Amino acid sequence: VKLVESGGGSVQAGGSLILSCAASGYPYSSYCMGWFRQAPGKEREGVASIDMDGNTDYADSAKGRFTISKANAKSPLYLRMNSLKPEDTAMYYCAADVLPQCLLSTLMSNRLYNWWGQGTQVTVSS
């Protein structure tokens, strides 16, 4: 399985970015995927997740500002981020796994996923 993120960059507070994650090599019909982030000196945290049925979940910090989407099983995973804040600055990672692993824990847990991308940096300046 290969996950490749893109779309990170530097923006001013209040700006927007769209992150993409191109995934290949996994069973397209039985997946779960998530976006995570890790700031320097902090633990990796879940931002948003989506399952094969399109059910989504968000961290409280992301609700109302971020949107996770995936048009179909073979399409890229996206994270649209609006109203960005300096505290959103972090390395953002895409993660994926398949059934039955997806059923073992909340999709917002970084311990669930076995497949990870290399990350894309998001920097928000005030």
Side-chain angles (χ1 to χ4, degrees):
V1 176
K2 184 176 181 180
L3 304 175
V4 180
E5 303 97 333
S6 60
S10 297
V11 297
Q12 291 190 328
S16 299
L17 284 173
I18 300 175
L19 305 184
S20 301
C21 175
S24 61
Y26 68 97
Y28 294 113
S29 61
S30 61
Y31 63 88
C32 54
M33 300 186 76
W35 285 101
F36 293 79
R37 67 185 183 187
Q38 188 167 19
K42 294 187 176 181
E43 293 186 357
R44 188 171 298 189
E45 62 177 1
V47 177
S49 66
I50 190 167
D51 67 15
M52 71 195 87
D53 295 322
N55 298 306
T56 59
D57 195 11
Y58 296 91
D60 287 343
S61 60
K63 288 178 181 176
R65 299 188 300 127
F66 294 2
T67 303
I68 189 171
S69 64
K70 197 175 189 310
N72 55 61
K74 295 186 177 182
S75 67
L77 178 72
Y78 295 101
L79 183 69
R80 176 182 293 274
M81 304 186 294
N82 296 327
S83 303
L84 283 162
K85 305 174 182 179
E87 51 264 44
D88 293 319
T89 295
M91 185 71 78
Y92 283 70
Y93 298 91
C94 168
D97 220 295
V98 296
L99 291 176
Q101 183 72 12
C102 296
L103 303 177
L104 297 182
S105 178
T106 167
L107 300 188
M108 296 291 281
S109 170
N110 60 15
R111 292 186 292 273
L112 175 71
Y113 297 93
N114 288 299
W115 302 315
W116 293 84
Q118 82 289 348
T120 185
Q121 178 68 37
V122 172
T123 303
V124 184
S125 58
S126 58

